Each structure stands twice: as C-alpha cells, then as structure tokens.
Amino acid sequence: MVTFEKGSYKSLVQFIYFSHLNFTTMRNLWCCMLLFFCAVMISCNSEKQETAPEATGFITVDGPDLLLPDGSKFFIKGTNLGNWLNPEGYMFRFNKASSARFINDMFCEMVGPDFTAEFWRAFKDNYITREDLRFIKRTGSNTVRLPFHYKLFTDEDYMGLTANQDGFARVDSVVKWCREEGLYLILDMHDAPGGQTGDNIDDSYGYPWLFESETSQQLYGDIWKKIADYYKNEPIILGYELFNEPIAPYFDTMEELNGKLAHVYQIGIEAIREVDNNHIILLGGAQWNGNFNPLRNRPFNDDKIMYTCHRYGGDLTADAIRDFIQFRDSVNLPMYMGEIGHNTDEWMNAFCQAMEENNIGWTFWPYKKMDGSSFIGITPPENWTVIMEFAEAPRGTYKEIRDARPDQQVVRKAMTDFIEACRFENCVIQENYVRALGLQP
C-alpha cells in the first residue's frame, strides 16, 4: 500500500502513474484532487481576508487636489461642530469664562460639581445629534470638522467624567451619522496636551507648553496613535488635523516656538503612520493657522499631507489669501480653509467665491451657537443673564464667590433649560447665513 506525506502532491501523482488503476478509479481520484485544490484555495483566500483586509474608498491627495475614490475631484464645503466637545465661552455669551476649564470652574462655583457634571453629560448628549448632521447634509455641505479636547481620550477630569472618558463613543456617533448621511469627517485636536496655542481656544494655561514639554509631546503622539489605530479602516474620515492654531503671536519666544513646529508635527505624523497609512494628515500654519513660513522648506516624507489655513475678516478677494495660495503651489499639496466666518453675509458670499476660484475648500465656524453668525442659532433660555452676570462677577476669593452666587433654583433651571434650547428642533435656522455660503437652508 502506498502512503503519502501530508500535503505531498508529488506522491499522489506517482501513485496514480504507477498504479494501473482502471479508468473509473482514476477519474474519481482526479475529481478528489480537484475538490482538494479548490478547498485549499478557498481556505487561503479566507485566511487572507481575515488577517489582511484591504482598505478602500479613502479620499486621496493628487497635487493640490483631493480625489474621491472614483478619481473625481473633491472640494470641501461644510462647517465645524465647535463648542460641543471643546466648550468656548463666547458661544455661551461668557467673556471671562472663556475656555472649557474656566467655564467648568465657574459652573462648579455657582451650582456645585455634581450638578455641573450632570449638565455636561446632558450637554454632550443633546448639543449635537443625528438631526444636526441630517440638516448639515441637507444644506449641500459635504464635510464636517469635529474639534475635540485631548482629555476625551484620557482619564483626566473633563466634561462630567473623572475617568474612562467617552471620546471614542462620541466620535463613533458622529462617524455613524456621517456615514448614514454621506458626509466626510475631519478630526481636529483643538486642545492638545500642554496647549499648542497659549490662549483660551486650546484650554491651556496661557502658554503653548506642548512645544516645551517632552511629556506633553509623548502624550499627544500616543493619543493620535490610539485614534488612528481605532479608525484606520474608516473611509468616512477624511483626515486627522494634528492640532489647531499653534503658537499665538503674544509671546517673546514666538520665533523660537515657530522653529519647533515642524518637529512636533513630525511626532504626530510618525505616531499615526505606525498604524494608519490610509488617512490624510492636516497641518496648520503658526499664528492662527496663518503663517506657513515655519513649514517652508520643511518637507514631510508623506504622500498624504494637506495644509489648513484660517481667516476671519480682511479683503474679500484672493489677495487676502495670496500667501496661502503661493505656499500651496510651492509644496504642490492641497490647502483647505478650516475656519472662516463671523462676518456679514455679503463678505462671506464673496469670500466663498474667491476660495472656490482658487481651489481652497472650507468649513465655516461654527455650526451652532447662541444667536446668529452660524448655521443655526440657540435662543438663550429664561434667566440666562443671571448666569452671565455670575460669570462676569469678581470671583478671585472665596468671599467674592459667596457674595456673587445666585439663587440655586433659578440658575439650575436655566442650565436645564439650555439643554432643551440647544437641541436642533428648538434652534433657529440662520437662513441668510446659509444662503450666503451658496448652500440651501
């Protein structure tokens, strides 16, 4: 009797050749061999699909253009979901309480930490919902930019949680809604470890410590690696913006800090590319995303880079963005206006045309806030002025806090009413604002 080693096809052939079997036996053996080889191929195919899935359908970079998966050009038009995962005081009509930390401290002094935590959890559940994304799509927008605080991906105390932050759960919800509506999503680390700006917008301690601290840089890289690994196969995400508006112009060390910008960007790029080669990485200029000189002659060894600029006000024509256009052309990579807005309808309409004529896509800031100058407006609830007065009152000592603290029933009700007021169905669509952008309310 002839025996075979496992997987020895040669032995099988020799057996057939030297065994003078009748035709029927040989036919049966060949059928078995065919079935065996088919099974092997199917098994190999299955294993390959399980262990190495191919990612498809991502937006790509082609010189100064973005391309859809079908090869057609993609021009960004949309808005920013600001204030949701990175609260800013002016959107609540606060001046002194201008950053997330200051707002939280003010609320805690006014109504206590437990009620404040309940407020933030309800705020996150209601400020942005699927209905908001459905409306954004209806306007003709194709992209949303999602600003977020790095703390959402740590165990640091933030927005009602002291551990096990819910960053992935919140972003997952937006990814799901964007996928359902056919919107692309840009993830923007608006508040980086240590602070990248040194002002209220990054919830920092008044200085861009990210550029001074290796500990903060390590955390920033670790968070981006964790986010990129989680979303590496999600094509609805257009890209990752490493951080927003680095290095405010207020510091004597500004030029020294500018000189460190490319290095800190490289840390984020390398962290992401360890796990994700699918997504575009967005880099902003220094000084409000307006100064790209620190990035000139500093090429990044990456074929999926897009630059992002910001502008509020100024000339209505392309001359106002001439530096951005020239930088874009010099590096032959896309340029995108991540933030713009807070101006007259006429100014915004003219500037939209200038951007489109010069191939600079845009997301207007913000989507939602109190009153106008946004896609939709929140009507302040009754007695919100009482909270505003406490926010502006002197609170430098415990006595001042006690003296300024308002009636608890009044302000707690006003905070609860705000949660209802911020829901999409209770907001006011700013029709003229939306039309000024060439969109439909």
Side-chain angles (χ1 to χ4, degrees):
M1 178 177 179
V2 180
T3 58
F4 305 95
E5 294 180 8
K6 186 177 180 181
S8 174
Y9 308 123
K10 182 178 179 182
S11 297
L12 181 59
V13 172
Q14 287 172 340
F15 172 74
I16 295 168
Y17 180 79
F18 290 110
S19 303
H20 301 288
L21 301 176
N22 60 36
F23 174 77
T24 303
T25 304
M26 291 180 68
R27 183 185 61 186
N28 291 340
L29 282 169
W30 281 112
C31 287
C32 289
M33 286 177 64
L34 182 59
L35 290 171
F36 172 75
F37 285 129
C38 287
V40 169
M41 293 301 294
I42 290 169
S43 172
C44 291
N45 240 6
S46 257
E47 185 178 351
K48 182 178 180 182
Q49 288 175 357
E50 288 172 8
T51 57
E54 286 191 17
T56 59
F58 290 85
I59 285 186
T60 55
V61 170
D62 182 26
D65 298 325
L66 295 175
L67 299 183
L68 289 165
D70 65 4
S72 59
K73 183 177 173 181
F74 182 71
F75 185 84
I76 295 172
K77 290 185 179 183
T79 187
N80 288 265
L81 304 182
N83 201 46
W84 180 37
L85 302 180
N86 67 316
E88 292 192 45
Y90 83 97
M91 297 200 214
F92 294 95
R93 291 183 168 181
F94 303 150
N95 292 316
K96 287 183 180 179
S98 58
S99 69
R101 181 167 55 91
F102 288 174
I103 297 169
N104 186 74
D105 286 348
M106 182 271 291
F107 281 160
C108 287
E109 291 165 358
M110 183 176 69
V111 294
D114 294 334
F115 189 87
T116 297
E118 292 174 13
F119 171 84
W120 285 131
R121 289 192 288 269
F123 177 87
K124 286 187 287 185
D125 286 342
N126 291 277
Y127 196 83
I128 297 293
T129 68
R130 193 191 189 287
E131 295 306 310
D132 293 282
L133 274 296
R134 181 180 286 127
F135 169 72
I136 291 169
K137 176 64 176 181
R138 195 175 78 211
T139 67
S141 298
N142 57 30
T143 304
V144 291
R145 177 174 179 253
L146 176 59
F148 67 87
H149 201 300
Y150 84 90
K151 290 182 179 180
L152 285 162
F153 298 91
T154 69
D155 278 337
E156 297 184 51
D157 186 355
Y158 186 64
M159 291 189 80
L161 296 175
T162 56
N164 299 317
Q165 286 291 342
D166 58 353
F168 282 115
R170 298 297 172 180
V171 177
D172 278 350
S173 65
V174 182
V175 167
K176 178 177 182 290
W177 299 330
C178 285
R179 191 186 300 119
E180 292 170 349
E181 296 301 325
L183 290 164
Y184 281 99
L185 178 63
I186 293 171
L187 300 184
D188 155 47
M189 186 182 282
H190 218 74
D191 314 80
Q196 77 281 357
T197 307
D199 204 9
N200 68 298
I201 60 169
D202 67 350
D203 196 31
S204 70
Y205 291 91
Y207 189 82
W209 297 107
L210 175 66
F211 299 94
E212 303 279 344
S213 168
E214 291 184 3
T215 300
S216 290
Q217 291 169 17
Q218 179 69 47
L219 179 57
Y220 139 80
D222 289 346
I223 291 171
W224 268 123
K225 182 178 178 180
K226 182 164 61 172
I227 292 171
D229 191 39
Y230 188 88
Y231 290 114
K232 60 189 173 187
N233 293 319
E234 178 49 69
I236 211 69
I237 293 177
L238 189 154
Y240 309 126
E241 186 172 342
L242 294 187
F243 43 75
N244 174 72
E245 295 187 351
I247 312 167
Y250 307 135
F251 310 107
D252 294 338
T253 57
M254 185 185 77
E255 290 303 328
E256 179 185 344
L257 294 168
N258 284 352
K260 299 177 180 181
L261 180 59
H263 168 69
V264 178
Y265 274 150
Q266 188 64 42
I267 292 172
I269 292 170
E270 291 177 1
I272 289 170
R273 291 304 182 224
E274 282 187 45
V275 294
D276 182 354
N277 289 310
N278 295 323
H279 286 100
I280 295 169
I281 295 176
L282 287 77
L283 309 177
Q287 289 78 62
W288 316 125
N289 276 30
N291 176 16
F292 287 90
N293 288 328
L295 302 180
R296 291 183 191 276
N297 305 315
R298 299 296 294 269
F300 299 95
N301 185 25
D302 196 287
D303 61 355
K304 296 183 180 72
I305 294 291
M306 177 165 70
Y307 289 92
T308 172
C309 55
H310 293 177
R311 176 166 292 278
Y312 292 93
D315 186 11
L316 294 172
T317 68
D319 288 338
I321 51 175
R322 187 65 57 196
D323 287 347
F324 302 155
I325 296 168
Q326 290 174 348
F327 176 79
R328 185 266 314 277
D329 293 345
S330 71
V331 295
N332 194 35
L333 290 168
M335 178 67 75
Y336 140 74
M337 186 75 71
E339 289 184 24
I340 187 170
H342 291 325
N343 216 303
T344 65
D345 294 344
E346 294 75 17
W347 185 93
M348 294 189 298
N349 183 263
F351 212 82
C352 279
Q353 294 179 40
M355 288 188 289
E356 188 154 1
E357 289 167 1
N358 289 278
N359 193 26
I360 295 180
W362 44 261
T363 47
F364 269 71
W365 180 278
Y367 162 66
K368 174 189 291 189
K369 71 178 185 66
M370 281 193 174
D371 306 319
S373 192
S374 54
F375 277 53
I376 64 175
I378 301 169
T379 302
E382 184 181 10
N383 290 316
W384 192 255
T385 54
V386 178
I387 296 175
M388 292 167 54
E389 289 167 2
F390 179 78
E392 302 308 311
R395 291 179 287 107
T397 67
Y398 284 103
K399 183 179 186 306
E400 288 177 336
I401 293 170
R402 289 192 296 270
D403 290 345
R405 186 177 293 121
D407 181 275
Q408 293 293 288
Q409 185 175 353
V410 169
V411 291
R412 290 187 181 210
K413 184 177 186 304
M415 291 176 70
T416 302
D417 289 346
F418 177 89
I419 299 301
E420 282 302 309
C422 77
R423 291 183 59 82
F424 173 78
E425 58 267 28
N426 298 319
C427 291
V428 179
I429 297 173
Q430 308 294 314
E431 295 187 2
N432 290 338
Y433 180 100
V434 175
R435 289 195 181 96
L437 310 185
L439 303 173
Q440 294 299 317

